[in-house]
């Protein structure tokens, strides 16, 4: 888990929404955040259910797959066909394969 996730949980929402607010409020808010940070539980910041790998359609371009991987941080996408009532997994594409495609 990146440290920024923990920082995000510790910061008050107004400061997360507008970081310049932190420059205005001064050290009083710093002490409040410091006191509240000790109260954060791991259960408060972990996702309730880990996200599954991203899914793309069979007609997704390599660029689309790369963009999905970058956005989700997942190095694999599932290629799924939804033409029937049941989805059919056609395969996977990983980041190494895309790197070979582009380079």
């Amino acid at each position: 888990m990146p440290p920024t996730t923990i920082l995000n949980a510790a910061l008050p929402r107004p400061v997360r929404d507008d970081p310049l607010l932190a420059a205005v409020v001064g050290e009083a808010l710093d002490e409040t955040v410091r006191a509240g940070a000790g109260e954060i539980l791991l259960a408060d910041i972990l996702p309730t259910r880990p996200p599954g790998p991203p899914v793309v359609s069979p007609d997704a371009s390599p660029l689309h797959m790369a963009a999905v991987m970058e956005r989700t941080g997942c190095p694999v996408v599932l290629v799924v066909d939804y033409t029937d009532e049941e989805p059919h997994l056609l395969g996977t594409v990983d980041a190494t394969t895309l790197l070979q495609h582009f380079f």
Side-chain angles (χ1 to χ4, degrees):
M1 171 177 314
T4 53
T5 302
I6 300 168
L7 287 172
N8 188 41
L11 294 175
R13 179 161 298 283
V15 173
R16 281 184 279 166
D17 293 343
D18 184 4
L20 291 177
L21 183 61
V24 176
V25 295
E27 291 186 27
L29 184 60
D30 186 61
E31 290 302 319
T32 303
V33 170
R34 185 175 298 173
E39 304 293 320
I40 297 173
L41 301 175
L42 188 57
D44 295 334
I45 56 176
L46 286 177
T48 55
R49 182 175 162 199
V55 175
V56 297
S57 64
D59 61 347
S61 70
L63 187 58
H64 178 207
M65 292 180 206
V68 168
M69 287 180 190
E70 191 281 326
R71 182 177 42 97
T72 62
C74 185
V76 175
V77 293
L78 304 180
V79 181
V80 178
D81 184 14
Y82 287 98
T83 55
D84 296 334
E85 288 183 20
E86 295 289 321
H88 298 282
L89 176 64
L90 301 178
T92 62
V93 177
D94 62 26
T96 301
T97 302
L98 284 178
L99 286 171
Q100 291 171 349
H101 170 79
F102 288 115
F103 296 100

